[in-house]
Amino acid sequence: MTEAPQPNSTFSCPTFFILTGIPGLGGVQAWLTLVFGPMYLLSLLGNGALLAVVQTDSTLHQPMFLLLATLAATDLSLATSIAPGLLAVLWLGPRPVPYTACLVQMFFVHTLTAVESGVLLAMACDRAVAVGRPLHYPILVTKARVGYAALALALKAVAIVVPFPLLVARFEHFQAQTIDHAYCAHMAVVELVVGNTQANNLYGLVLSLAVSGIDILGITGSYGLIAHAVLQLPTREARAKAFGTCSSHICVILAFYVPGLFSYLTHRFGRHTVPKPVHILLTSTCCCHLPLTLSSMGPARSRLGTGS
């Protein structure tokens, strides 16, 4: 294991931080590469396969599959922004990361998380239209509109996340150089700041409630409309078929939001009741999960083929 540089008690104008990975585990961290390594590899292969299939099969150049591809690309980018550095820290021990690189990673991690949340909302709206108004679906949901939606989601995420690194960059003094985390998360860096961090804390809270809260409300409303439409179908087979096109999306939503909300709430309100290693393990696992959208390719292909 590589020994980490000794941090100072207080310093200014930092040139680097030291990522420790998962605190309290010591040498056991190296064994976690046997977990996170295959998870990251599966994420690369799964998302890459989905993107390749959608790219090469012209029959899949439809709004539903384009949304799946957008989600896969976001998953792939999010995992890549965290996993390589995480694996290096787990295997080699605490590693220095340049200050600027830390801010860049912070920006990409939070931006891609916001994009993924928005894509899940767009997919829920897509399913609501497909199930609720199938005859109007080709008119209401087009490839052009999906492209505009993806661009809007990316621009929105960039606009709302840019203040994160800027709010951190305004500080010049830090009480420690060591970040007890697997990557440069905003709140993990803010904990080291010497000064008034009220603006950082408030912006992070408002942003989380506004972005995730609105997206969750939109997804809930969309699935409320879907449930109402499905219950109106005349046969059990038709109801099962309609629900089958949404089941994998529900799994993706649960895999994304449940651990994410648990992590956020424990960080904000339960840091004294939930051990920090559990919190960091959870957030790291969320960013390397296997894309459950792969399971939707079968039902979605059937739906496309039948035109229903």
Side-chain angles (χ1 to χ4, degrees):
M1 299 295 177
T2 303
E3 294 187 3
Q6 294 299 318
N8 299 321
S9 57
T10 301
F11 63 98
S12 61
C13 300
T15 57
F16 64 89
F17 288 112
I18 302 171
L19 290 172
T20 64
I22 303 169
L25 297 186
V28 179
Q29 287 194 127
W31 292 100
L32 291 178
T33 57
L34 300 178
V35 177
F36 286 104
M39 287 179 65
Y40 179 51
L41 180 60
L42 286 173
S43 183
L44 290 177
L45 294 176
N47 286 305
L50 193 152
L51 289 171
V53 169
V54 173
Q55 173 66 31
T56 56
D57 191 342
S58 60
T59 63
L60 300 182
H61 295 174
Q62 303 293 330
M64 178 182 180
F65 297 99
L66 295 178
L67 286 171
L68 287 172
T70 302
L71 183 65
T74 306
D75 275 338
L76 185 62
S77 301
L78 181 59
T80 302
S81 68
I82 293 177
L86 169 64
L87 293 173
V89 170
L90 294 179
W91 183 252
L92 301 174
R95 307 294 296 174
V97 55
Y99 176 74
T100 302
C102 188
L103 296 183
V104 170
Q105 184 185 46
M106 179 191 304
F107 169 77
F108 277 105
V109 168
H110 292 290
T111 297
L112 291 168
T113 301
V115 170
E116 180 152 356
S117 180
V119 172
L120 291 175
L121 173 59
M123 293 176 69
C125 295
D126 172 79
R127 294 298 84 210
V129 175
V131 174
R133 304 186 65 181
L135 297 179
H136 297 87
Y137 179 80
I139 300 174
L140 296 175
V141 184
T142 64
K143 291 187 288 184
R145 289 178 178 175
V146 170
Y148 293 142
L151 178 60
L153 288 173
L155 293 176
K156 182 197 75 171
V158 170
I160 63 179
V161 173
V162 161
F164 273 150
L166 295 181
L167 286 171
V168 173
R170 66 193 175 99
F171 294 106
E172 296 183 354
H173 299 277
F174 293 78
Q175 60 185 341
Q177 196 173 356
T178 301
I179 301 177
D180 290 328
H181 210 288
Y183 59 92
C184 292
H186 173 247
M187 292 309 300
V189 177
V190 169
E191 289 178 352
L192 306 181
V193 168
V194 175
N196 186 354
T197 61
Q198 185 175 358
N200 298 70
N201 297 329
L202 182 61
Y203 186 76
L205 178 61
V206 171
L207 185 62
S208 298
L209 293 176
V211 175
S212 298
I214 291 175
D215 289 347
I216 291 174
L217 287 176
I219 291 171
T220 303
S222 296
Y223 272 95
L225 296 175
I226 290 172
H228 179 267
V230 169
L231 292 176
Q232 303 302 312
L233 295 176
T235 65
R236 183 175 181 179
E237 290 75 14
R239 291 193 292 270
K241 182 178 180 181
F243 181 75
T245 64
C246 306
S247 57
S248 59
H249 183 231
I250 295 174
C251 292
V252 175
I253 291 172
L254 294 176
F256 179 77
Y257 281 111
V258 173
L261 288 175
F262 177 80
S263 173
Y264 174 79
L265 292 175
T266 55
H267 184 84
R268 287 282 181 178
F269 309 110
R271 64 178 63 187
H272 300 299
T273 57
V274 178
K276 194 167 186 177
V278 174
H279 169 77
I280 297 176
L281 273 172
L282 188 61
T283 56
S284 302
T285 301
C286 291
C287 296
C288 299
H289 64 78
L290 179 65
L292 299 176
T293 48
L294 282 172
S295 62
S296 68
M297 295 299 287
R301 275 179 173 272
S302 299
R303 179 184 171 276
L304 183 64
T306 59
S308 59

